[in-house]
């Protein structure tokens, strides 16, 4: 079941991040971002769906994407703490997206040569999307870091508050020993290079946290995730067995 | 989504009779009017208001549906709703761009929306109270929008007409998507069926009000019809919509909340009961149940985003300055 667990971790990362980004829809700082953010949310929710679907098949217990997304509680969710962080402001949201995409792009690139055809297929689509997310979120990190005094302060605050969640990205988690998925630890250098390139242009400094927060992979989350899931699952759970 | 019959436009014009007659002849010959063409000031003003109202309706319309993105009951529905609300934002963007060709800026139009000078479709001042509302809005509200917008694809003003072609394709997809949500609920559990009937009861009358006042009470229709901004009257479009929708409701065994609704053989269409115009005008004048909340939400997004927009401009200026300084430094 290691593959099932590893797929679930990946799927949860994508769904939770997509949900957070989708919370902006209709409330963005400008109309262009009201189009771009749902686009990014759709990309990662789409990947989550493929991963849940595959996880359900690997498990072989008849659970589909909705059973896995809607009928597990917060202690069963296995996502990274980074992706569940609240949106806070546009600076936090864009930095969170950059951190995630800067990891997932090399991850999916490595997965293109996986021995597992389904994973290869998911990677083929996701890798293009992640390149776009790095570009879009990276450009905003630069604009905000090198914009006004206020935007630079907000961007620096975002760096400060999100850096403690970076270390968890590189933990192998349930994927330890699953040879059809790439090693997460091996991605650190490339992640750092991408983030440094953006930070240099933005006038920001990246410092690795000495005390990274972890726990997402064992279902120990921040307090926000429970609220998010309560909202997300409310209609589905109120009508057990209904189809939509 | 869509803006209802134009509210409060002033199509008066002071140009010479010869100029107006020549303009009318171009319109009558179905020649598209383009941004750099001479046009009566009243024509320009009417279009700025209409396209602006339409754009604002798309943007404000993101809020009631956006209210259910985080609670959509399946991942497929969540993705589809997110894509739909994004489409509405895209419609807003084309429409603001079309209005900009008439010499008004998006910023100016946005400010008018936020300070209450500009209107948007009052349908969005009703709350979305259950998942079924998302289906009903797609089916009825987007359905009513299509009735209004298909003729707008032939509007005399080129940029508006062209924007509407793409908008209509997407709206038609939304309408089918909405009907599919409704169909699933109508064929679902007793609770789902009750949910969708309740949503239909709440949205039916506001949807048929979307076509605007009866022709006899619609002040601006005649001039807009002559200028071919509008091709059918409010009542004609409302009738088309009702005639198309009644059989769709019957097919799903849902009841439209109008006891007077019945087929009239002689006119070849359905008769309907009296519309509560007091409610219509109350909502149009800004006293709909969600009116204050909608504008407040838009204002909050705009105000909260100000530092982001300022930063983007400041950064662009800095880049420009650096690019200009670079060759000098190299010399």
């Amino acid at each position: 079941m290691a593959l099932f667990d590893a797929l679930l971790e990946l799927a949860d990362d994508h769904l939770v991040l997509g949900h957070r980004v989708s919370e902006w829809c209709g409330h963005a700082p400008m109309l262009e971002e009201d189009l771009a953010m749902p686009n990014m949310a759709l990309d990662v929710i789409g990947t989550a769906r493929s991963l849940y679907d595959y996880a359900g098949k690997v498990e072989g217990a008849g659970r589909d994407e909705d059973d896995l997304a809607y009928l597990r509680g917060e202690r069963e969710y296995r996502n990274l703490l980074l992706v569940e962080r609240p949106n806070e402001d546009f600076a936090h949201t864009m930095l969170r997206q950059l951190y995630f995409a800067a990891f997932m792009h090399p991850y999916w690139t490595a997965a293109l040569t996986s021995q597992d055809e389904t994973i290869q297929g998911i990677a083929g689509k996701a890798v293009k999307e992640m390149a776009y997310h790095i570009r879009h979120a990276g450009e905003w990190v630069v604009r905000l870091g090198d914009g006004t005094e206020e935007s630079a302060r907000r961007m620096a605050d975002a760096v400060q508050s999100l850096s403690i969640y970076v270390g968890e990205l590189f933990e192998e988690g349930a994927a330890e020993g699953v040879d059809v998925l790439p090693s997460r630890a091996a991605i650190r250098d490339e992640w750092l290079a991408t983030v440094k390139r953006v930070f240099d242009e933005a006038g920001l400094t990246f410092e690795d946290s000495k005390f990274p927060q972890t726990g997402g992979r064992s279902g120990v989350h921040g307090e926000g995730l429970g609220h998010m899931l309560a909202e997300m699952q409310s209609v589905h759970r109120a009508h057990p067995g209904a189809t939509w | 989504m869509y803006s209802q019959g134009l509210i409060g436009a002033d199509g008066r014009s002071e140009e010479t009779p010869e100029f107006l007659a020549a303009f009318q002849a171009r319109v009558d010959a179905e020649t598209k009017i383009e941004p750099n063409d001479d046009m009566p000031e009243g024509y320009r003003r009417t279009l700025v208001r209409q396209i602006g109202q339409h754009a604002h309706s798309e943007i404000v319309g993101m809020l009631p549906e956006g209210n259910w993105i985080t609670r959509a009951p399946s991942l497929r529905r969540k993705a589809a709703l997110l894509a739909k609300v994004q489409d509405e934002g895209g419609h807003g963007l084309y429409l603001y761009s079309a209005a900009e060709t008439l010499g008004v800026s998006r910023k100016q139009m946005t400010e008018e929306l936020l300070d209450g000078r500009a209107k948007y479709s009052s349908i969005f001042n009703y709350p979305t109270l259950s998942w079924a509302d998302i289906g009903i809005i797609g089916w009825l509200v987007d359905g009513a929008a299509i009735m209004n917008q298909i003729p707008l694809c032939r509007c005399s003003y080129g940029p508006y007409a062209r924007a509407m072609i793409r908008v209509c394709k997407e709206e038609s997809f939304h309408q089918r998507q909405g009907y599919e949500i409704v169909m699933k609920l109508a064929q679902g559990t007793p609770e789902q069926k009750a949910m969708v009937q309740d949503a239909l009861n709440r949205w039916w009358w506001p949807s048929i009000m979307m076509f605007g006042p009866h022709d006899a009470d619609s002040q601006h229709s005649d001039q807009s019809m002559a200028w071919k901004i509008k091709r059918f009257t409010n009542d004609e479009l409302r009738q088309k919509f009702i005639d198309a929708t009644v059989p769709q409701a019957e097919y799903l065994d849902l009841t439209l909340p109008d006891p007077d609704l019945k087929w009239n053989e002689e006119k070849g269409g359905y008769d309907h009961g009296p519309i509560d115009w007091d409610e219509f005008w109350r909502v149009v004048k800004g006293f709909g149940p969600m009116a204050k909340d909608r504008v407040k939400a838009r204002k909050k997004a705009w105000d909260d985003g100000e530092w982001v927009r300022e930063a983007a401009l400041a950064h662009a200026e800095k880049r420009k300055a650096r690019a200009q300084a670079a060759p000098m430094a190299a010399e």
Side-chain angles (χ1 to χ4, degrees), chain A residues 119-179:
Chain A
I119 290 169
Q120 244 185 52
I122 295 171
K125 179 171 170 289
V127 77
K128 294 180 211 141
E129 294 166 349
M130 288 302 112
Y132 166 77
H133 292 208
I134 292 174
R135 201 180 88 195
H136 189 79
E139 283 173 358
W140 271 113
V141 169
V142 170
R143 282 186 202 111
L144 300 179
D146 182 47
T148 60
E149 207 174 295
E150 181 181 3
S151 71
R153 176 182 56 75
R154 285 174 180 267
M155 205 63 240
D157 283 353
V159 173
Q160 181 74 25
S161 54
L162 293 180
S163 66
I164 55 172
Y165 303 106
V166 166
E168 197 181 22
L169 279 166
F170 309 104
E171 288 186 351
E172 298 297 353
E176 182 86 62
V178 176
D179 58 6

Side-chain angles (χ1 to χ4, degrees), chain B residues 204-205 208 239 242 246 255-264 267 269-276:
Chain B
W204 173 251
W205 288 105
I208 65 170
Q239 187 66 51
I242 293 173
V246 173
T255 308
L256 294 170
D258 177 0
D260 298 326
L261 197 65
K262 54 178 168 298
W263 179 254
N264 179 333
K267 77 170 182 187
Y270 286 88
D271 289 333
H272 62 82
I275 294 173
D276 182 351

Side-chain angles (χ1 to χ4, degrees), chain B residues 186-199:
Chain B
Q187 294 166 351
T189 64
E191 290 80 12
Q192 285 176 305
K193 203 168 172 182
M195 191 196 289
V196 76
Q197 182 62 56
D198 169 63

Side-chain angles (χ1 to χ4, degrees), chain B residues 177-241:
Chain B
Q177 198 175 64
Y179 192 68
E180 197 233 335
I181 292 175
V182 170
M183 194 184 314
K184 272 275 186 220
L185 295 171
Q187 294 166 351
T189 64
E191 290 80 12
Q192 285 176 305
K193 203 168 172 182
M195 191 196 289
V196 76
Q197 182 62 56
D198 169 63
L200 179 57
N201 294 347
R202 284 181 287 111
W203 288 95
W204 173 251
W205 288 105
S207 299
I208 65 170
M209 289 177 197
M210 278 176 70
F211 296 94
H214 282 310
D215 296 347
D217 307 316
S218 180
Q219 297 167 23
H220 308 290
S221 265
D222 293 350
Q223 183 62 76
S224 284
M225 296 277 280
W227 277 335
K228 297 190 193 290
I229 293 172
K230 202 170 168 169
R231 299 262 175 178
F232 296 97
T233 69
N234 294 353
D235 285 330
E236 283 167 351
L237 290 167
R238 186 169 13 246
Q239 187 66 51
K240 266 175 181 246
F241 172 73

